[in-house]
Amino acid sequence: MAADSFSLADFDVIGFDLDHTICKYKLNEVFPLIYYSLAKNMVEKKGHDKSLLEPFELDKDFMTKGLVFDVITGDLLKLSGDGHILKASHGTRILSDEEIQTDYGKGRLWSPDKFQQLKETLKQTDDMRYFENYFDMTGAVLCARMVDIIDKKQADGKRPKTYYSFLSDMWQCYGYSYNRENFAANKGLFFPPIKENPEKYFQQCSKEMKDWLKSLKAAGKVVFLCTTSHVDYARHLLQYIIGPDWQSYFDVCCTYARKPGFFTGTPETRPFYELVDDVEQAESIVTTLEPDNIYSQGNALALLELLKKLTGKDDPKVVYVGDSLRSDVFPMASLNWSSLLILEEMQAEGLITNGDKENDGSDGDTNNPPPKRKKYSLPDALEIEYLLSSKWGSFFTTNNNISGDGKNENQTGIAAMNTLWGYFIKTYSDIAVPGLEYIIDLPLDHKFPTFSVEKNRSGFYPALPKALATP
């Protein structure tokens, strides 16, 4: 990400994620469903304490995007971009600054080796897991409750002397919930309710959104879909939010892509498979993709060969649009593709308006017209209750910006985007918007400032999150 400006008109190819990108979920409905599915599996399949089944809503204020769970200590951590602990909890109890310094030292530095691996690779490990997307975020609440349960059962009332070993059970239970075979079989706790009542969990695309998606192909862009959802679930979503003609919006569709591996794998390690009646054909490996088809699994290198053919260019310029920093944004650097990040937390936390200290850049700027907010449907007031956390604070910054010596390094009064996930945003994404609705009224050649300029904050459109405003 080197350019100072970003314009969709400059790209030959535009790729889209599906879940939480083209398909807007009603988060206040889907978060409790995901948690219930996970917790019930933990209790019934793994034999864990029934108190996990207490309503998710009781601890919804505890949930926030980006928490890191340290399996050894049982602590959940909100980290800075340089590995210091901005906030922490043990179980559901938020730790005081004094407790954090007692456990981690005056500088509040997390394990340097673990942090460096996380920052450089974004890989999950056996002794550390993080929660950065809407399908896994409720796992932070389950981890906190499990730590409370385990500590309570300790005879001396202290933490276990080894580590908190339930994480493998939790990840298996996620697997039970999201098993791709469950949708067709109408099994499990996650897919059947969504299958029966899509209107409860999804927002349909507006006519303006559908017209905008169509306009991309009309403007000569190659448009592809790449989703980790299996084909039958993806089809269910797309038929509901777009309509029966949904496939005509895309030149090719890649399903069950299992990102980020789709973007980092090779044709040998991550082949495409043919689909027949939405069933993956294990013996039918596809080596050459054809347009207007739907495929399963696969890799970006083989997809790129089709994109070259469709654009007539040896090195087509590609941008991918998605909501996951780990799966949709971070891998783009290795492909030399650009990324547009969908980040609902921007709107949930509030955007700087013309009446605030910093405006949204639209006053007197004909190239950056004020957005038409009346069309925005995300997130609504109910969803905001699930996206905001008074316990953890802003996704973008934390006031107690701790340096290595334990002192407050922010003496200027300017709010720095100092969280670990803020680092990933400004380092790997070109621009970030709360949702696609924020850009569909703009001309295709609109030029957005990117995160490469203005102290790595200019990439937010239509405005900075209020947490980053100058006080």
Side-chain angles (χ1 to χ4, degrees), residues 158-177:
K158 298 180 179 179
R159 303 182 187 186
K161 294 180 179 179
T162 53
Y163 63 100
Y164 294 83
S165 59
F166 62 84
L167 204 60
S168 61
D169 283 354
M170 187 180 79
W171 242 252
Q172 287 181 44
C173 288
Y174 268 126
Y176 299 145
S177 295

Side-chain angles (χ1 to χ4, degrees), residues 100-256:
I100 294 173
Q101 292 186 21
T102 297
D103 292 345
Y104 294 94
K106 188 177 180 181
R108 302 164 63 127
L109 188 66
W110 189 48
S111 168
D113 290 341
K114 287 183 184 179
F115 177 76
Q116 201 60 31
Q117 181 180 14
L118 169 60
K119 188 173 182 178
E120 292 179 358
T121 70
L122 262 178
K123 289 182 178 179
Q124 306 273 25
T125 65
D126 291 338
D127 59 1
M128 176 276 299
R129 288 280 174 167
Y130 57 84
F131 306 92
E132 64 86 37
N133 69 74
Y134 294 154
F135 285 128
D136 71 17
M137 275 171 58
T138 61
V141 173
L142 187 133
C143 283
R145 288 179 171 182
M146 280 295 303
V147 168
D148 287 347
I149 291 167
I150 292 169
D151 286 0
K152 187 176 181 180
K153 291 180 179 180
Q154 288 289 111
D156 57 4
K158 298 180 179 179
R159 303 182 187 186
K161 294 180 179 179
T162 53
Y163 63 100
Y164 294 83
S165 59
F166 62 84
L167 204 60
S168 61
D169 283 354
M170 187 180 79
W171 242 252
Q172 287 181 44
C173 288
Y174 268 126
Y176 299 145
S177 295
Y178 298 139
N179 186 321
R180 61 173 171 160
E181 297 176 356
N182 285 351
F183 184 83
N186 206 36
K187 292 171 56 179
L189 302 167
F190 177 74
F191 289 117
I194 284 180
K195 195 172 181 179
E196 183 177 353
N197 297 301
E199 69 282 354
K200 182 177 180 181
Y201 299 101
F202 312 131
Q203 288 184 5
Q204 291 180 304
C205 290
S206 65
K207 180 182 183 301
E208 292 83 2
M209 172 68 75
K210 291 190 283 187
D211 288 345
W212 180 77
L213 290 171
K214 285 182 179 179
S215 74
L216 300 177
K217 288 180 70 174
K221 308 300 180 185
V222 173
V223 181
F224 71 87
L225 180 74
C226 182
T227 175
T228 293
S229 292
H230 191 246
V231 60
D232 52 2
Y233 181 60
R235 187 185 298 277
H236 175 71
L237 266 62
L238 287 159
Q239 286 181 339
Y240 178 74
I241 67 172
I242 292 180
D245 64 338
W246 66 268
Q247 195 175 342
S248 68
Y249 288 68
F250 308 101
D251 290 287
V252 66
C253 300
C254 307
T255 62
Y256 195 52

Side-chain angles (χ1 to χ4, degrees), residues 35-91:
Y35 179 83
Y36 175 73
S37 175
L38 176 62
K40 194 167 178 64
N41 283 326
M42 286 285 284
V43 172
E44 295 186 352
K45 295 184 182 294
K46 297 298 183 180
H48 290 286
D49 196 286
K50 291 182 179 179
S51 63
L52 290 175
L53 295 175
E54 290 183 358
F56 170 75
E57 290 80 355
L58 295 178
D59 286 314
K60 71 176 187 290
D61 187 46
F62 184 85
M63 183 182 66
T64 193
K65 182 184 284 186
L67 295 180
V68 175
F69 180 66
D70 188 320
V71 177
I72 306 301
T73 64
D75 291 347
L76 281 154
L77 310 171
K78 181 180 179 181
L79 297 173
S80 74
D82 57 5
H84 295 94
I85 299 169
L86 299 172
K87 289 192 175 184
S89 78
H90 186 75

